[in-house]
Amino acid sequence: MSQKSNKRVMRIYKQYFDLIKNGSKTIEVRVAYPGMRSIAVGTLIAFNDDPDCTCRVKRVALYKSFDEVMATEDPTKIHPTLSADNQLADIKRIFPPEKEKLGVIIFELEKI
């Protein structure tokens, strides 16, 4: 599978944007919509179309649920100041169960 190096814009809530921008959030969690599944290692993501918050995708992983993500990934890389339980509650407020059934994808990020 070839690596893509295209640039994508990804919208994100301000509280998470600020954590990515300051470098403390290095894993982004999303529902695995077809458009998200097309993002590969090497893809550049400009969060909120801000050139000062552009990251390269270092790793992509697919999971069946948000619970599986929180049990597998380091929660401090997803949100450095919230407990795993609070993060899980926040994620489930953002994405309803019918969206979670599509699968969950994470992107490990490297600021550039």
Side-chain angles (χ1 to χ4, degrees), residues 20-38:
I20 290 171
K21 192 167 181 173
N22 75 23
S24 62
K25 175 178 171 59
T26 58
I27 292 179
E28 175 61 4
V29 179
R30 294 289 173 129
V31 167
Y33 297 112
M36 291 292 120
R37 288 177 179 262
S38 71

Side-chain angles (χ1 to χ4, degrees), residues 1 15 17-18 23 28 32 35 38 43 56 67 76 98 102 105:
M1 191 163 116
Q15 64 173 321
F17 171 83
D18 290 343
E28 175 61 4
S38 71
T43 300
R56 179 176 290 108
D67 294 278
T76 64
E98 62 269 18
L102 297 171
I105 193 166

Side-chain angles (χ1 to χ4, degrees), residues 21-90:
K21 192 167 181 173
N22 75 23
S24 62
K25 175 178 171 59
T26 58
I27 292 179
E28 175 61 4
V29 179
R30 294 289 173 129
V31 167
Y33 297 112
M36 291 292 120
R37 288 177 179 262
S38 71
I39 295 173
V41 170
T43 300
L44 300 180
I45 300 173
F47 287 92
N48 293 349
D49 210 8
D50 183 332
D52 293 329
C53 192
T54 299
C55 299
R56 179 176 290 108
V57 176
K58 288 176 34 176
R59 180 174 63 95
V60 178
L62 287 169
Y63 294 97
K64 291 180 182 168
S65 68
F66 295 120
D67 294 278
E68 187 181 11
V69 169
M70 297 310 292
T72 307
E73 299 292 337
D74 180 350
T76 64
K77 292 181 179 182
I78 298 168
H79 195 301
T81 63
L82 287 181
S83 70
D85 288 342
N86 286 341
Q87 289 183 55
L88 191 56
D90 279 355

